[in-house]
Amino acid sequence: MTYNVDPELQQPIRDMMREFCPKEIEPLGLKHDREPDAFAHDIFKKLADKGLVGYVMPKEYGGQGRKKIEYATMIEELSYFDPPSSLLSAVSQLAVDPIMNFGTDEQKKKYIPKAATGELIPAFALTEPNAGSDAANQSTEFEDAGDHYVINGEKIFIMHGDVCDYAVTFGKLKGDEGDRPKVSAIIVPSDAEGFEGSTLKHKMGMKYATTGRIIYKNVKVPKENFLGPAGKGFKMAMMTLDGARVGIAAQSTGIAQRALDESIKYAKERVAFGAPIAKLQAIQWMIADMATKVEAARLLTYKAAQLQDKGESINLSASQAKLFASEAANFCVDRCMQIHSGYGYIGEFSIAEKLYRDQRVCEIYEGTSEVQRLVIANNMLRK
Ligand code: COS
């Protein structure tokens, strides 16, 4: 039985996901994983129809209005069955978050309800070729042209940037040539002339929650799309990422748990030297370490989600959860592969190979492990 911090809220979600995902999601995921990189519209629709895309978006804007602890549980379970599917849901949440927290009423009404139902696919466009970990180093420019802005620039590694209907785009006002540009944000519809989204090919894992490049060539955007206060975009982005990191922690926990469960199953079945390999201490120690890391990852994730629900700062706890859970998942997929050996390395025999590929990016996106350590150290040292 998986540990819950709030059984009344969490267990029904687990039961529902364990019924829904093996039938409706996992088989589609396995199929798409063997195909060339393309957004899984069929899975996205199934998730949206089930309310799992607008899961924490407010009810008044067409979402389910769930708490963050419920969201973490849902993402963990979805990721257990199919990691890329958990991204299909989480990316819409990531992109809508700044609109929810900093948008005008008109912007919220226009952009959130259709994202909640999956009718529109949003993207969060922060990263640039020269602004990855150093996210403040934005080059994309918004030029004031009277009643609209003209956007020029390039974004890369943008989840769903290739298929999005609109991109919450970060950049700087033209003319800001300071060492540290004052970042602003604007909502850019993808059908605007000069907006070019494309798919980045041959991704290692998470293949059908696609990653894109966006080029903005003289894209005209009405001023009503400007998001939040001018020059406050960096803080808006960082606050959004704090929340998103809890989602990646939940996703990592789901992957780690799956790797553990697959390892236990295989270790009991596989006979070597006259007995199941689960009898060997070498295997038992791997299982023990995996189980302990999974549980610690889960608890850190729930702690951060509960603090979010209380409206407290999660800058520290989100980074701790994301760092630990993603590295725990790395440990678990690696040991899962080792336990399965040849049968793990070849995808036709087990899920170990797919888990191994899907996991790796959890230590990279929404801030690398090194960035999480930086955030944690900053929190410790300024006390
Ligand atoms: N919430 C609110 N405000 C924040 C914040 C947060 N989580 N993090 C930083 N800020 C504010 C600071 O308070 C500071 O404000 P003042 O200038 O008013 O003092 C300002 O932002 C700059 O903060 P800081 O100096 O800590 O920022 P750095 O440039 O050193 O950035 C890192 C630090 C590396 C942590 C940041 O750039 C980062 O998280 N990078 C990774 C980006 C990322 O995750 N990308 C993933 C891809 S997007 S899907």
Side-chain angles (χ1 to χ4, degrees):
M1 182 70 114
T2 311
Y3 181 77
N4 294 310
V5 283
D6 189 338
E8 275 182 34
L9 276 183
Q10 292 179 281
Q11 196 53 45
I13 298 167
R14 291 197 201 286
D15 294 343
M16 184 273 284
M17 296 300 282
R18 290 172 189 185
E19 170 71 24
F20 172 66
C21 296
K23 280 190 227 149
E24 303 285 338
I25 303 296
E26 196 177 359
L28 283 176
L30 292 171
K31 176 174 89 66
H32 286 302
D33 187 59
R34 298 293 172 218
E35 294 166 350
D37 308 67
F39 186 85
H41 286 282
D42 50 358
I43 300 182
F44 186 71
K45 179 158 181 9
K46 278 180 187 273
L47 298 175
D49 290 349
K50 196 87 178 161
L52 303 179
V53 172
Y55 206 61
V56 274
M57 297 178 203
K59 283 189 177 162
E60 60 174 313
Y61 295 111
Q64 302 293 311
R66 298 294 194 123
K67 295 171 83 171
K68 303 290 187 188
I69 186 70
E70 294 176 279
Y71 177 72
T73 312
M74 183 277 283
I75 292 289
E76 177 190 335
E77 291 293 332
L78 189 50
S79 183
Y80 180 94
F81 292 104
D82 188 48
S85 293
S86 69
L87 259 190
L88 290 174
S89 162
V91 172
S92 288
Q93 183 55 42
L94 165 74
V96 155
D97 230 42
I99 304 178
M100 195 55 237
N101 292 325
F102 305 99
T104 61
D105 281 350
E106 288 69 32
Q107 289 170 341
K108 289 179 194 174
K109 280 186 203 138
K110 185 166 176 188
Y111 292 106
I112 300 177
K114 287 185 178 171
T117 57
E119 205 177 321
L120 293 184
I121 301 173
F124 178 85
L126 174 69
T127 301
E128 298 186 351
N130 290 313
S133 292
D134 187 7
N137 186 35
Q138 295 282 309
S139 300
T140 296
E141 285 191 329
F142 310 164
E143 183 180 359
D144 191 333
D147 62 346
H148 63 273
Y149 286 99
V150 179
I151 319 291
N152 278 292
E154 178 178 348
K155 299 286 174 183
I156 197 162
F157 307 130
I158 306 304
M159 293 298 310
H160 306 172
D162 51 338
V163 290
C164 68
D165 294 287
Y166 64 88
V168 173
T169 301
F170 293 84
K172 60 179 182 175
L173 295 176
K174 189 163 183 179
D176 178 0
E177 301 300 341
D179 285 351
R180 227 183 137 76
K182 292 190 180 64
V183 179
S184 295
I186 193 162
I187 306 167
V188 184
S190 64
D191 60 3
E193 206 180 321
F195 183 108
E196 279 173 36
S198 57
T199 310
L200 300 177
K201 301 289 184 203
H202 312 309
K203 194 156 70 148
M204 178 180 180
M206 301 284 193
K207 287 165 67 121
Y208 36 98
T210 46
T211 305
R213 170 188 280 116
I214 302 176
I215 310 262
Y216 306 78
K217 271 191 212 150
N218 295 320
V219 181
K220 288 185 185 169
V221 183
K223 280 204 165 157
E224 69 209 32
N225 283 27
F226 198 84
L227 183 61
K232 296 287 176 203
F234 185 70
K235 285 190 186 185
M236 285 160 53
M238 289 301 111
M239 285 172 71
T240 303
L241 287 173
D242 283 349
R245 287 168 185 166
V246 185
I248 305 304
Q251 179 179 60
S252 303
T253 303
I255 294 174
Q257 180 72 58
R258 180 67 183 264
L260 170 63
D261 289 355
E262 294 292 331
S263 299
I264 293 170
K265 186 164 161 277
Y266 185 77
K268 286 180 172 174
E269 287 167 9
R270 174 71 173 167
V271 172
F273 307 108
I277 59 171
K279 297 276 182 202
L280 301 171
Q281 195 178 52
I283 303 295
Q284 291 174 1
W285 285 21
M286 287 193 224
I287 303 271
D289 288 342
M290 290 163 85
T292 306
K293 285 181 193 286
V294 172
E295 210 55 10
R298 178 171 287 121
L299 292 176
L300 281 172
T301 303
Y302 295 166
K303 176 187 169 189
Q306 286 186 313
L307 288 174
Q308 262 184 307
D309 282 328
K310 286 185 194 159
E312 292 182 25
S313 166
I314 53 157
N315 185 239
L316 172 62
S317 57
S319 283
Q320 288 179 324
K322 200 254 184 199
L323 171 65
F324 188 87
S326 62
E327 292 191 351
N330 181 307
F331 180 91
C332 290
V333 297
D334 181 76
R335 297 309 183 273
C336 179
M337 173 79 66
Q338 197 64 21
I339 289 169
H340 283 78
S341 297
Y343 290 105
Y345 194 69
I346 308 286
E348 78 170 86
F349 295 117
S350 83
I351 195 79
E353 177 264 350
K354 181 173 185 296
L355 285 175
Y356 194 89
R357 287 185 288 109
D358 285 342
Q359 177 280 328
R360 192 60 181 82
V361 74
C362 296
E363 294 163 276
I364 296 171
Y365 57 20
E366 318 291 42
T368 59
S369 292
E370 292 68 34
V371 162
Q372 307 312 323
R373 287 188 167 88
L374 194 65
V375 172
I376 295 164
N378 284 345
N379 273 274
M380 293 298 116
L381 295 170
R382 72 165 169 257
K383 272 182 184 167

